[in-house]
Amino acid sequence: MAQPQIEELNLLHAHVCQALGVPTRLQILYALHDQPTRVNALAEMLKTPQSSISRHLAVLRQRSLVLAERNGTEVTYRLADDRIIEVLDLMRLVLRDALERQSNILN
Amino acid sequence: MAQPQIEELNLLHAHVCQALGVPTRLQILYALHDQPTRVNALAEMLKTPQSSISRHLAVLRQRSLVLAERNGTEVTYRLADDRIIEVLDLMRLVLRDALERQSNILN
DNA sequence: TTCATTTATTCGGAAAAGCGAATATATGAA
DNA sequence: TTCATATATTCGCTTTTCCGAATAAATGAA
């Protein structure tokens, strides 16, 4: 397959979005937006077992959201594309506005 | 709770993103961007059982992504916020670019 | 009330995704 | 080669999510 068909792109699209549906993975993406970070550093920052972080990173890597670079035994991850944060920020803004609208209705 | 805390907003954020991780739900959102649509019409358009569409719509409604309006026995759904499509389109563009980068590497 | 239509919910089961602990692998230093 | 460190993967297991079919609920017309 040279270019994925629309149907298939839709599947990939959902697959990528699904990767964003876990709080720890969102935290990882925001942390990597600050700066490229090693696996252990992420595990400490997020107070999460290393195996869990590593699995989440594998998911994010498979979905083209992050890139890995090895230096010796260390592996540093970075965002594959800063626009991912734009996506997340916009989604968060939309959510925030929706919540505000709801609370206005309640008052 | 008047204003959700950051921690809680993060959970909601992931919760909303998770709703985007199913192909049929993406199709629903894009269809609703074209125009507000009734449940049965969506079911026919997407060749999906009505119960399935209705469940997906309930998920999207709970996550503030769509709004429902009842007229008699019919219920018409619409996007809660057009920026949701901006989010999806930007994510799709990022994905497309990532795929292109990968195929360049392979060639 | 009864009936037809539309939508929502429940049911039962299958598939997917998550987790921490433990183990395996990879790399470089000694 | 042996050891230490960093990361990846596997192992059981639990929880969540999804599905189609069937049923229930809501609405309006007759």
Side-chain angles (χ1 to χ4, degrees):
Chain A
M1 62 172 178
Q3 291 293 343
Q5 300 306 308
I6 295 177
E7 172 73 17
E8 188 180 337
L9 187 60
N10 192 41
L11 287 179
L12 291 172
H13 194 182
H15 206 227
V16 170
C17 289
Q18 196 238 15
L20 306 176
V22 175
T24 302
R25 291 207 283 259
L26 289 184
Q27 290 183 281
I28 289 174
L29 291 173
Y30 275 107
L32 296 184
H33 181 54
D34 276 350
Q35 57 182 313
T37 312
R38 287 177 303 108
V39 178
N40 271 347
L42 285 168
E44 288 169 19
M45 288 170 54
L46 306 183
K47 298 178 181 33
T48 301
Q50 175 268 327
S51 67
S52 184
I53 294 293
S54 193
R55 258 187 281 106
H56 284 310
L57 286 168
V59 169
L60 295 171
R61 184 159 31 85
Q62 286 156 9
R63 270 101 154 156
S64 303
L65 291 166
V66 304
L67 300 173
E69 184 184 353
R70 177 148 228 147
N71 290 91
T73 63
E74 298 179 355
V75 179
T76 297
Y77 283 83
R78 74 188 66 243
L79 282 187
D81 190 324
D82 281 335
R83 290 175 296 179
I84 293 162
I85 297 297
E86 289 182 40
V87 169
L88 294 179
D89 281 346
L90 182 53
M91 188 72 254
R92 195 180 276 249
L93 180 59
V94 169
L95 170 61
R96 206 186 261 285
D97 288 350
L99 293 176
E100 187 161 339
R101 251 177 274 130
Q102 284 173 17
S103 65
N104 284 343
I105 291 171
L106 297 181
N107 293 342
Chain B
M1 62 172 180
Q3 291 294 341
Q5 299 308 308
I6 294 178
E7 171 73 15
E8 187 179 336
L9 187 59
N10 192 41
L11 287 179
L12 292 172
H13 194 183
H15 206 228
V16 170
C17 288
Q18 196 237 17
L20 306 176
V22 176
T24 302
R25 290 206 283 258
L26 290 184
Q27 291 184 281
I28 289 173
L29 292 173
Y30 275 107
L32 295 184
H33 183 234
D34 276 350
Q35 57 183 314
T37 311
R38 287 178 302 108
V39 178
N40 271 348
L42 285 169
E44 288 169 19
M45 289 168 54
L46 306 182
K47 297 178 180 36
T48 300
Q50 175 267 327
S51 67
S52 183
I53 294 294
S54 193
R55 257 187 282 105
H56 285 310
L57 286 168
V59 169
L60 294 171
R61 184 159 31 86
Q62 284 157 8
R63 269 95 155 164
S64 302
L65 291 166
V66 303
L67 299 174
E69 184 183 354
R70 177 147 226 147
N71 290 91
T73 64
E74 299 179 357
V75 179
T76 297
Y77 282 83
R78 75 189 66 243
L79 281 188
D81 189 325
D82 281 333
R83 290 174 296 178
I84 292 162
I85 296 298
E86 288 182 41
V87 169
L88 293 179
D89 281 345
L90 181 53
M91 189 73 253
R92 195 180 275 249
L93 180 58
V94 168
L95 170 60
R96 207 184 259 285
D97 288 349
L99 293 175
E100 188 161 338
R101 252 177 274 130
Q102 285 173 16
S103 65
N104 285 343
I105 290 171
L106 297 180
N107 294 341

